[in-house]
Amino acid sequence: MEGRVALVTGAARGQGRSHAIALARAGLDVAVCDLAGPLATVPYPLGTAEELAETVGLVEAEGRRCVSAVLDVRDGAALAELVARTVATLGRLDTLVANAGVISYGAAWELSDAQWDEVVGVNLTGVWRSCRAAVPAMLAGGEGGAIVIVTSTAALKGLGRMAHYAAAKHGCIGLARSLALELAPHRIRVNCVAPGGVRTPMGTSTQMQEAMEADPDLARTLTAALPVDLVEPADVSAAVVWLCSDAARHVTGAVLPVDAGTLLR
Ligand SMILES: NC(=O)c1ccc[n+]([C@@H]2O[C@H](COP(=O)([O-])OP(=O)(O)OC[C@H]3O[C@@H](n4cnc5c(N)ncnc54)[C@H](O)[C@@H]3O)[C@@H](O)[C@H]2O)c1
């Protein structure tokens, strides 16, 4: 994939950082962004500006160029500025990995407006705004492209204490399938990965542990079938890189679980 350029959101740490490094290793220059700050209703710390700078260094250590921005994926103007700077600096944009996401916990009828708005705002509206910012540059490049939206097993089944998260992730699949139809004539493919529990600060937070302890049914439905506790970020990155590559040139509108069999339960 030498010569192509990717944008990865939520790349300060966790899966986003892993995807940025894996795409760099596959030959792409990469633009990365992250909120790099807290959100009022998200009960665990989010990425930092220092971590985002480390990601830039790790991409550059793969011999690729990297541009970065501290931004909120709910901010369409900031995304448009980053896309313009990416095209000006790296020459084009072929690939978007819409990865930024957050979670909070509570029964559906007890969630606050602020909890709902932040989770749906980042995980669904932020994904749409990321696509809206990237697609015109991809169309202008005229050589097709790939979008991968990072959803979750929560995009394919209901989960107690996470209704807002599940609703947003289900919504991402509707967005991806619709975009896949709209962009197919331009050879731009749109797919989703659906990770199970992943070993990142989101996946291992004490609040996630507490939610599972409080709800044995939730714990059961989040348990892998394969004999592992969690999926590693690199396992999700392998699927992301494949979906972005020409090896998947006839794959669009798909939802690929990387969940160690969690969905089997
Ligand atoms: N960890 C899991 O168990 C798991 C499972 C399935 C799906 N996912 C999804 O995978 C994706 C990556 O999560 P992760 O596990 O790496 O979590 P993480 O919390 O380690 O990383 C998420 C990154 O996104 C950033 N971010 C959050 N809100 C943002 C915003 N509004 N704008 C820009 N950046 C923002 C955070 O600062 C952080 O650096 C998310 O979409 C998440 O919903 C995670």
Side-chain angles (χ1 to χ4, degrees):
M1 287 194 269
E2 197 89 17
R4 294 186 190 168
V5 178
L7 166 59
V8 183
T9 69
R13 68 178 194 196
Q15 294 177 62
R17 172 185 281 182
S18 175
H19 302 335
I21 296 167
L23 288 164
R25 209 164 277 164
L28 287 84
D29 292 327
V30 188
V32 293
C33 64
D34 203 282
L35 178 66
L39 286 176
T41 68
V42 175
Y44 54 92
L46 295 176
T48 65
E50 292 71 29
E51 289 171 318
L52 185 63
E54 271 174 41
T55 299
V56 172
L58 290 164
V59 168
E60 289 172 346
E62 297 294 331
R64 309 310 319 186
R65 294 178 294 168
C66 191
V67 301
S68 70
V70 170
L71 60 76
D72 188 328
V73 291
R74 296 172 297 177
D75 182 345
L79 284 162
E81 190 280 329
L82 175 60
V83 167
R85 190 153 50 85
T86 300
V87 173
T89 311
L90 304 179
R92 51 187 301 107
L93 182 64
D94 310 281
T95 303
L96 168 67
V97 182
N99 163 82
V102 292
I103 196 167
S104 57
Y105 302 94
W109 63 93
E110 292 172 348
L111 292 170
S112 67
D113 286 343
Q115 278 181 301
W116 179 273
D117 288 347
E118 280 194 340
V119 164
V120 175
V122 175
N123 296 7
L124 180 56
T125 310
V127 168
W128 167 65
R129 293 218 169 103
S130 302
C131 294
R132 186 179 63 173
V135 165
M138 295 168 78
L139 289 171
E143 293 187 22
I147 296 173
V148 177
I149 299 175
V150 179
T151 65
S152 163
T153 53
L156 294 162
K157 62 181 176 183
L159 290 176
R161 293 170 190 268
M162 306 183 186
H164 52 341
Y165 185 79
K169 295 294 190 183
H170 274 72
C172 285
I173 293 183
L175 171 65
R177 288 179 173 149
S178 305
L179 261 180
L181 274 174
E182 291 176 338
L183 294 173
H186 304 281
R187 290 186 297 115
I188 298 172
R189 300 176 295 101
V190 187
N191 293 290
C192 297
V193 288
V198 187
R199 200 176 319 281
T200 68
M202 177 194 282
T204 60
S205 73
T206 51
Q207 293 82 12
M208 174 72 90
Q209 299 306 322
E210 285 165 7
M212 291 201 290
E213 279 161 24
D215 184 345
D217 193 50
L218 176 64
R220 186 187 57 76
T221 197
L222 290 176
T223 300
L226 291 171
V228 292
D229 58 345
L230 291 166
V231 170
E232 305 301 331
D235 297 309
V236 185
S237 298
V240 167
V241 171
W242 178 73
L243 284 169
C244 292
S245 77
D246 292 343
R249 68 194 172 126
H250 291 155
V251 180
T252 195
V255 183
L256 176 58
V258 184
D259 70 336
T262 303
L263 283 165
L264 298 170
R265 297 193 187 278

